[in-house]
Amino acid sequence: MKFFIDTANLDEIKQAADWGILDGVTTNPTLVARENVAFKERIIEICDVVAPGPVSAEVVSVEAEEMIEEARELRSWAENIAVKIPLIPDGIKATRALSEEGIACNVTLCFSANQALLAAKAGAAYISPFVGRLDDVGADGMSVVEDIVQIYDNYAFDTEIIVASIRHPIHVLQAALLGAHIATVPFDSLEKLFKHPLTDIGLKGFLADWEKLQKQLADA
Ligand code: E4P
């Protein structure tokens, strides 16, 4: 499974890249706004850090022709940009046109398996089901991912599933068990994947015993 990081924060992206486990980045207008930086400059900086891994940058138009123009502009900034397109009829139309031009589209704001089917039919490179937001309204986000995995498998679609709106490490585990291609993980959840109290206790014990041995050998 590939790990993307769901942030526009450069320090977080650099840290994840430094760990050697980062395959790509997803951003959205909210994540960029949180950083209070110029959109174009930040996306180019991110693209430099993670190249050749894909970096999703989202259009803000809602009409197909405008989305297509915006997507072409975004794609001109760096080779590894995937254009994020909202899952609305004009978005699906734009995805079809952009995919035929060879521009990778990440269809976002997906909340049902039927929506994911539309994105795959339109030639999307990625589909982003938002599991956390589904869970927030009392639905089962992961069951939507399970259905998408099944449907894409039934018809051998090439569209990769990005499990998005991840809230905690269990979402990452469930995504991996279901065979989703990618999890896009916020930095705090990514950090939590490392943690286990028995790892800390075990390491402390090993280091203490090693020190004890050195002391015994020095005293002998
Ligand atoms: C996906 O690409 C989105 O940027 C993101 O996962 C949305 O997550 P949220 O529901 O925490 O805003």
Side-chain angles (χ1 to χ4, degrees):
M1 185 171 70
K2 287 181 250 185
F3 277 150
F4 289 0
I5 188 167
D6 195 29
T7 183
N9 182 287
L10 211 54
D11 292 335
E12 292 178 350
I13 293 164
K14 284 179 178 167
Q15 176 61 82
D18 192 52
W19 285 329
I21 47 96
L22 188 65
D23 300 297
V25 174
T26 52
T27 69
N28 63 37
T30 304
L31 292 171
V32 175
R34 199 175 286 164
E35 297 302 311
N36 199 23
V37 290
F39 178 52
K40 180 174 179 178
E41 282 166 24
R42 177 51 56 95
I43 292 295
I44 291 170
E45 284 175 311
I46 296 172
C47 285
D48 284 346
V49 172
V50 295
V55 176
S56 290
E58 190 157 340
V59 299
V60 288
S61 310
V62 290
E63 285 176 13
E65 284 313 313
E66 290 172 17
M67 285 185 200
I68 291 167
E69 284 313 307
E70 211 184 320
R72 288 178 183 143
E73 167 67 16
L74 290 172
R75 187 61 172 67
S76 74
W77 297 349
E79 283 288 308
N80 53 330
I81 284 183
V83 179
K84 240 175 161 181
I85 307 271
L87 211 157
I88 55 176
D90 274 66
I92 292 299
K93 183 176 168 184
T95 298
R96 161 59 63 202
L98 291 164
S99 302
E100 283 173 4
E101 280 182 29
I103 295 179
C105 294
N106 173 0
V107 178
T108 188
L109 290 169
C110 170
F111 295 95
S112 79
N114 276 337
Q115 289 180 320
L117 182 55
L118 290 170
K121 288 285 294 172
Y126 307 101
I127 182 70
S128 291
F130 277 31
V131 294
R133 292 193 196 189
L134 279 164
D135 291 356
D136 287 345
V137 297
D140 180 359
M142 278 300 165
S143 75
V144 172
V145 173
E146 188 174 11
D147 288 348
I148 300 170
V149 169
Q150 175 74 63
I151 291 166
Y152 282 11
D153 191 46
N154 287 348
Y155 297 100
F157 283 120
D158 291 331
T159 307
E160 291 189 86
I161 302 165
I162 304 178
V163 178
S165 187
I166 280 178
R167 300 272 193 265
H168 47 67
I170 298 294
H171 277 151
V172 179
L173 177 67
Q174 291 169 324
L177 287 170
L178 288 174
H181 306 90
I182 301 155
T184 190
V185 189
F187 186 76
D188 66 325
S189 291
L190 197 59
E191 270 190 312
K192 286 178 188 162
L193 299 183
F194 288 94
K195 307 250 187 256
H196 198 290
L198 291 178
T199 303
D200 298 337
I201 292 166
L203 181 60
K204 199 173 165 195
F206 285 155
L207 294 178
D209 289 342
W210 188 254
E211 275 306 305
K212 201 159 72 185
L213 173 65
Q214 304 314 306
K215 196 164 182 320
Q216 282 165 357
L217 292 175
D219 292 347

